[in-house]
């Protein structure tokens, strides 16, 4: 299995999940049960993806490519920043903040997430082509890993 292909697929699915969440918000749906589910699902998937990378992929990459320590540190910092933004979105949804406030939270996440995904793919895809990691992709890359 090529971990680079799996990573690109999961990133595409996370982008799709963000789009669905944005569309639910743009439809004028107030902070109802459906919007809570979209936001919770997206936040859970994104967080699970980053936790798996931190736990499985990054240590394997660091062991095989110590020269990428700075890159991995920057990616972990992104994960922390995105986690903070996701926490803000979850709090805003739980507090039933107005749609404009929720949209601002989503846009902040979207901007950092897209920048992070592009940097990660640019920096790691070539390494992931040959990464020998014996693990379940869903455990490593999160719940949106294709079957």
């Amino acid at each position: 299995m090529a971990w680079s292909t799996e990573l690109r697929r999961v990133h595409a699915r996370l982008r799709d999940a963000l789009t669905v969440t944005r569309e639910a918000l743009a439809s004028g749906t107030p902070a109802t049960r459906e919007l809570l589910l979209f936001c919770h699902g997206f936040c859970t998937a994104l967080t699970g993806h980053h936790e798996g990378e931190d736990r499985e992929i990054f240590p394997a990459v660091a062991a095989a490519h110590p020269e990428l320590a700075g890159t991995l540190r920057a990616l972990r910092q992104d994960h922390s920043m995105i986690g903070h933004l996701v926490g803000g979105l979850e709090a805003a949804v739980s507090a039933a903040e107005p749609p404009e406030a929720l949209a601002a939270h989503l846009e902040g996440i979207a901007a950092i997430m897209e920048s992070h995904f592009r940097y990660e793919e640019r920096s790691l895809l070539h390494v992931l082509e040959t990464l020998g990691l014996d693990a379940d992709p869903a455990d490593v890359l999160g719940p949106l890993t294709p079957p």
Side-chain angles (χ1 to χ4, degrees):
M1 170 194 28
W3 286 99
S4 58
T5 301
E6 294 299 318
L7 182 69
R8 277 188 291 233
R9 286 181 183 163
V10 170
H11 284 178
R13 286 184 168 211
L14 286 165
R15 287 176 177 115
D16 291 346
L18 176 62
T19 297
V20 168
T21 305
R22 282 172 156 164
E23 288 170 354
L25 183 58
S27 73
T29 306
T32 62
R33 182 175 167 82
E34 288 112 22
L35 185 55
L36 287 170
L37 289 173
F38 283 124
C39 288
H40 178 71
F42 168 70
C43 292
T44 299
L46 184 60
T47 300
H49 171 67
H50 288 157
E51 288 172 350
E53 285 180 333
D54 289 344
R55 183 182 59 250
E56 301 284 342
I57 292 220
F58 292 175
V61 169
H65 297 276
E67 72 278 9
L68 292 174
T71 299
L72 296 172
R73 187 173 32 262
L75 290 169
R76 284 188 183 103
Q77 288 172 340
D78 284 355
H79 289 177
S80 178
M81 184 184 337
I82 292 168
H84 176 74
L85 294 172
V86 164
L89 172 61
E90 290 175 324
V93 170
S94 295
E97 289 190 15
E100 303 79 35
L102 298 178
H105 284 283
L106 275 176
E107 290 312 308
I109 292 169
I112 301 300
M113 184 183 92
E114 188 58 36
S115 172
H116 170 76
F117 284 176
R118 287 180 182 185
Y119 177 64
E120 186 172 64
E121 290 173 5
R122 197 172 53 250
S123 302
L124 296 184
L125 284 182
H126 67 285
V127 170
L128 295 178
E129 289 289 330
T130 59
L131 185 67
L133 182 61
D134 185 26
D136 180 347
D139 291 339
V140 175
L141 295 174
L144 290 184
T145 303

